[in-house]
Amino acid sequence: MTAIADRIEKASGTFEPSARLRKLGIGRGMAWLILIAILIVSLFPFWWALRTGLSSNSDLFAGEQSLLPVGYTNNNFERVLGTASEAEILDSLGRQNTGSFDFWQSLKVSVIVATAVTAGQVLFSGMAAYAFARLRFFGRDKLFFLFLSGLMVPPIFTLIPNLIFIKNLGWLNSYPGIIAPFFFMTPFAVFFLRQFFLGISREVEEAALLDGAGHFRTFFGIIVPMSAAPIATLAILTYITAWNEFLWPLVVARAPERQPLTVALGQFTAQQPGTSPDWSGLMAGTLLAALPIIVIFLVFGRRVVDSIGFSGIK
Amino acid sequence: MATVELEGLTKIYPGGVTAVEDMSLSIDDGEFVVFVGPSGCGKSTALRMIAGLEEISDGVLKIGDVDMTSVHPRERDIAMVFQNYALYPHLTVRKNIAYPLKLAKTPKAEIKERVERTAEVLQLSEFLDRKPGALSGGQRQRVAMGRAIVREPSVFLMDEPLSNLDAKLRVYMRTEISRIQRDLGVTTIYVTHDQVEAMTMGDRVVVLKGGVLQQADKPSVLYRNPANLFVAGFIGSPAMNMFESTISIGSGAVTVEVGQQTVEMPLGVLDRLPALRGYDGVRLACGIRPENVHDGTTADGMDQRISGEVIMLEELGSEIVAHLEVGVNRIDSSGAALGSADDEGDEYDTGFIGRFSQQSTTRAGQRIEIALDVSAMHFFDLTTGEAIRD
Ligand SMILES: Nc1ncnc2c1ncn2[C@@H]1O[C@H](COP(=O)(O)OP(=O)(O)OP(=O)(O)O)[C@@H](O)[C@H]1O
Ligand SMILES: [Mg+2]
């Protein structure tokens, strides 16, 4: 036994140098080069947005070509954030600030909507997923299949019916109206969590049952904490999706004070008939709007990658 | 503390599998009962019906004289220890053990006191603030026990709680569980497929096969007086030598065929087993345990001998397990001849296993004289498999 172990150790010992060599080998070098190239390609748009956001419009239209900001100014960001004075605006834009929007109000709308949608969706999807995974009731699996086939329906199909429904409820231009269609659950979220719940040992739930816990207690006291990781993953994914949602708020929220950032930024470009687009202002606004998501990426990077990997099943 | 009464308990799973059939048993207060049987015989199902985790298809379950047949599991006042421990991974050991008390709205101070006392009994005190993930298998096992005993339930149920432990720890925990059970005096039903575990732990052992209760008795009775071929073959290791035979009742003795050879039993056996008279000249099954098969040269005073060839010897130090070719037709626990299915057969289809004393000097390949202690011979009806006991 020990003789064999020794030999294995020796053998792996002789392998080590070659493994090290391989680390520095040509293949690895190529891989690094390619990765760096991909990195540059994918990060370039961000840089371009930042570069444009920090340029002055007049210099941009003068046809300056540079990878660096032309006519550097942070006036665009100030303009978007509403901290720039009239004079500064006139100076940088060469005209009145027509395409303005209330960044802070829209940010508030975005945060409220994304947070509410995430909280609602995770909660209700979780409970539905648990029911589909564990409770015994008539037609459960058929119902789940039916529910899952909702994944096949393109969102655009439900847009008009939803809009009419929300309008009849008198919820246009309101938070409930923006949030409602996403609040309860999505087939994907239910599917995602159910898959995980199915993997949880039944014995643990049975132990909880014998210890005196009912369904709700078992779910909130045992299942949810045990599933913290996938639930967090789902929450992040949902938050990002809700943050980026454009079409639905565009149709229900006509009033500027109920427009999330995605819609408000769209309005920003559309609001300037006859003038050249305010590219630098738009880029500054876009960057600011993407900031929360970038922060999420930086903080939960690993988890976001995992969740995107999983959603690939979709 | 309570009695447990099973009256015709039956479980038919959706899809039509009858996992437990008409099982009746009454368990005394404080008794340690072990359900044992091969995989798939319905042990877990029976236990889970008592716990309330499976619906009872038919029959009545009483705990402490109260009908519990369709009572919600949490109202049955039972605690269960699961095979995979089923600890709550996100809670510390302390909170795991406290969980049932917390749900029962026990006052905080009392919870603390009972958890700590329990931890002491199970030698878990130093692990109270760890999570289950940071414990060894044996420690997790003890936490699971702790969560069960802290409630002071009226019945403990355990489903193969030791099967994930290594052999040494298993033996240790076996005695631990027995000790704790004795100290607490809580009625316990314990499921295992390991007959050694069953025999060493149980006040009473219940042997199941195919969902049907075969025999429920004290370990010693089970061993000495198996009710049928199945129990005879299942209990004991190495297993009983069971073979086809015919007896003929003569004027002075009962002659028993052992392959081509015969041994004689004194007529007294007919007083002990009067039913044997009905089997004169009829094919039946005979059984003799390995410890009643001796090396002829070292067995004094045993005059019933046959000859056979030593195929293989396993020296265990304290004794020698001998595989012997004696030319019998071995049968398995269902009563089917072992050699009949395929013509080839091997020595195990026609041989005996004997437990020789270490004084034996036989060697493999030798032809020797084998002494049989015929007073310990068992007889079974070949068609029903039932023991011929009276
Ligand atoms: N949920 C179920 N649905 C249908 N049949 C089942 C179900 N659970 C168990 N069975 C069947 O019931 C029989 C008894 O199962 P059970 O789990 O009680 O066996 P066991 O004696 O505990 O076996 P093991 O020693 O392998 O744990 C088996 O034939 C099994 O296939
Ligand atoms: Mg089982």
Side-chain angles (χ1 to χ4, degrees):
Chain A
M1 271 303 275
T2 46
I4 293 172
D6 272 348
R7 269 163 57 193
I8 290 172
E9 210 158 88
K10 278 209 194 90
S12 62
T14 55
F15 267 71
E16 194 130 306
S18 73
R20 248 186 222 137
L21 267 184
R22 217 176 36 226
K23 258 186 206 157
L24 305 169
I26 294 179
R28 286 208 153 230
M30 292 289 283
W32 274 106
L33 279 180
I34 293 171
L35 277 178
I36 289 168
I38 292 175
L39 202 65
I40 290 172
V41 169
S42 47
L43 285 183
F44 185 74
F46 285 96
W47 169 247
W48 200 248
L50 186 63
R51 172 257 184 202
T52 309
L54 290 170
S55 303
S56 85
N57 263 321
S58 40
D59 286 320
L60 276 180
F61 288 111
E64 287 265 6
Q65 301 291 323
S66 166
L67 280 176
L68 295 175
V70 288
Y72 174 85
T73 172
N74 56 10
N75 175 272
N76 300 310
F77 285 91
E78 287 182 5
R79 223 155 23 88
V80 171
L81 296 175
T83 54
S85 68
E86 285 289 316
E88 282 172 323
I89 292 170
L90 210 61
D91 186 42
S92 77
L93 218 49
R95 57 176 158 81
Q96 286 277 302
N97 190 16
T98 48
S100 81
F101 69 101
D102 188 341
F103 179 83
W104 295 108
Q105 175 62 25
S106 288
L107 179 70
K108 192 177 123 196
V109 174
S110 276
V111 169
I112 288 175
V113 169
T115 306
V117 166
T118 303
Q121 221 180 86
V122 169
L123 176 71
F124 293 115
S125 297
M127 295 198 292
Y130 184 64
F132 281 130
R134 280 292 194 266
L135 306 189
R136 296 175 197 171
F137 54 88
F138 177 75
R140 181 187 73 179
D141 293 338
K142 284 198 183 65
L143 195 64
F144 179 67
F145 185 76
L146 194 71
F147 189 69
L148 207 58
S149 59
L151 272 175
M152 310 299 161
V153 180
I156 198 83
F157 275 31
T158 55
L159 186 75
I160 302 299
N162 274 349
L163 183 62
I164 294 170
F165 186 46
I166 292 297
K167 182 165 177 271
N168 290 343
L169 283 172
W171 282 0
L172 290 181
N173 291 319
S174 74
Y175 283 119
I178 307 173
I179 294 166
F182 306 100
F183 190 62
F184 291 104
M185 44 183 132
T186 63
F188 172 69
V190 174
F191 173 72
F192 177 93
L193 289 179
R194 174 179 173 269
Q195 217 55 21
F196 187 82
F197 293 160
L198 282 176
I200 291 182
S201 148
R202 220 174 249 275
E203 284 190 352
V204 173
E205 285 167 65
E206 289 173 346
L209 180 69
L210 294 182
D211 280 349
H215 282 312
F216 269 87
R217 249 217 141 84
T218 307
F219 179 68
F220 287 107
I222 306 291
I223 301 297
V224 169
M226 277 179 78
S227 317
I231 287 178
T233 299
L234 180 72
I236 293 167
L237 204 63
T238 309
Y239 201 89
I240 294 175
T241 314
W243 187 271
N244 290 335
E245 180 63 36
F246 175 72
L247 194 57
W248 176 253
L250 179 71
V251 297
V252 288
R254 309 299 308 173
E257 73 274 11
R258 284 291 174 271
Q259 291 182 342
L261 283 169
T262 44
V263 177
L265 280 169
Q267 304 292 76
F268 190 71
T269 43
Q271 274 175 4
Q272 301 147 58
T275 58
S276 48
D278 177 8
W279 286 121
S280 38
L282 179 64
M283 285 303 141
T286 308
L287 269 183
L288 286 172
L291 212 55
I293 299 298
I294 292 171
V295 169
I296 289 181
F297 249 98
L298 292 181
V299 177
F300 302 107
R302 179 81 239 161
R303 184 137 284 155
V304 175
V305 170
D306 288 351
S307 67
I308 291 170
F310 189 93
S311 67
I313 295 174
K314 204 157 64 151
Chain B
M1 333 277 123
T3 58
V4 177
E5 203 82 35
L6 318 186
E7 293 166 12
L9 224 54
T10 298
K11 177 69 193 183
I12 302 168
Y13 278 112
V17 181
T18 305
V20 174
E21 201 176 337
D22 196 18
M23 181 172 178
S24 295
L25 181 69
S26 58
I27 299 171
D28 287 340
D29 188 9
E31 202 179 5
F32 194 122
V33 170
V34 179
F35 290 178
V36 69
S39 186
C41 68
K43 309 178 292 285
S44 296
T45 305
L47 197 73
R48 292 168 57 82
M49 281 195 286
I50 298 169
L53 296 173
E54 294 294 346
E55 231 173 274
I56 295 170
S57 310
D58 200 6
V60 174
L61 167 73
K62 286 185 190 158
I63 298 177
D65 287 330
V66 182
D67 188 337
M68 294 280 184
T69 312
S70 43
V71 170
H72 192 277
R74 88 189 120 169
E75 260 99 62
R76 294 188 187 195
D77 196 21
I78 39 131
M80 186 155 167
V81 178
F82 294 84
Q83 181 171 358
N84 298 314
Y85 318 138
L87 300 177
Y88 310 125
H90 58 293
L91 300 179
T92 59
V93 168
R94 181 189 299 279
K95 288 193 174 150
N96 260 284
I97 298 177
Y99 198 71
L101 298 181
K102 196 179 126 204
L103 293 195
K105 303 213 163 53
T106 315
K108 279 234 166 63
E110 192 188 334
I111 292 184
K112 188 167 153 54
E113 196 241 299
R114 276 166 74 174
V115 168
E116 271 159 21
R117 189 152 34 92
T118 304
E120 211 156 291
V121 173
L122 293 164
Q123 294 156 22
L124 282 170
S125 304
E126 55 183 308
F127 308 116
L128 277 177
D129 295 309
R130 285 205 211 165
K131 293 210 173 144
L135 296 179
S136 74
Q139 289 158 352
R140 285 180 210 181
Q141 173 55 46
R142 291 204 298 260
V143 177
M145 285 287 297
R147 193 175 56 185
I149 66 181
V150 77
R151 288 174 53 184
E152 300 168 8
S154 44
V155 183
F156 280 148
L157 306 176
M158 306 189 193
D159 193 352
E160 311 211 18
L162 304 184
S163 59
N164 285 346
L165 303 180
D166 67 51
K168 209 166 159 197
L169 197 53
R170 192 151 57 213
V171 173
Y172 171 72
M173 284 305 293
R174 223 188 257 166
T175 52
E176 276 296 273
I177 292 178
S178 296
R179 177 181 67 82
I180 292 165
Q181 195 272 341
R182 227 177 310 112
D183 288 353
L184 301 174
V186 176
T187 313
T188 301
I189 306 175
Y190 184 104
V191 163
T192 179
H193 62 260
D194 178 349
Q195 53 105 2
V196 179
E197 210 167 287
M199 299 292 278
T200 51
M201 296 178 82
D203 293 331
R204 205 142 51 107
V205 175
V206 176
V207 182
L208 293 169
K209 176 199 164 200
V212 179
L213 188 151
Q214 305 290 307
Q215 191 173 8
D217 225 318
K218 286 200 288 254
S220 56
V221 175
L222 230 52
Y223 192 79
R224 283 198 310 259
N225 262 323
N228 56 37
L229 277 170
F230 179 79
V231 176
F234 190 78
I235 300 290
S237 172
M240 184 188 283
N241 299 296
M242 299 185 293
F243 55 98
E244 265 185 71
S245 174
T246 314
I247 58 167
S248 45
I249 300 172
S251 54
V254 178
T255 311
V256 181
E257 211 178 76
V258 182
Q260 303 296 319
Q261 315 176 54
T262 57
V263 290
E264 286 190 344
M265 297 180 81
L267 278 177
V269 69
L270 295 177
D271 298 334
R272 189 160 58 84
L273 305 171
L276 211 52
R277 286 181 200 280
Y279 287 85
D280 189 6
V282 179
R283 295 302 280 169
L284 48 57
C286 272
I288 186 160
R289 292 206 182 270
E291 63 263 37
N292 299 318
V293 177
H294 304 272
D295 180 352
T297 56
T298 59
D300 299 328
M302 261 172 257
D303 56 354
Q304 293 307 316
R305 297 180 176 227
I306 56 173
S307 83
E309 190 189 336
V310 181
I311 303 294
M312 188 181 77
L313 295 168
E314 296 173 56
E315 310 256 1
L316 299 182
S318 58
E319 62 179 19
I320 302 168
V321 174
H323 297 249
L324 308 160
E325 168 59 52
V326 292
V328 292
N329 247 349
R330 274 188 85 105
I331 51 180
D332 68 14
S333 54
S334 65
L338 276 177
S340 61
D342 55 327
D343 291 337
E344 306 221 344
D346 51 35
E347 76 267 19
Y348 301 114
D349 297 338
T350 53
F352 272 0
I353 289 180
R355 285 163 71 173
F356 288 2
S357 85
Q358 79 213 83
Q359 275 101 32
S360 166
T361 53
T362 48
R363 283 206 228 99
Q366 274 181 335
R367 220 178 158 80
I368 59 164
E369 205 169 63
I370 301 162
L372 302 181
D373 182 356
V374 288
S375 64
M377 193 88 97
H378 300 263
F379 299 96
F380 305 90
D381 186 300
L382 250 187
T383 42
T384 62
E386 293 298 317
I388 301 164
R389 287 200 285 190
D390 40 33

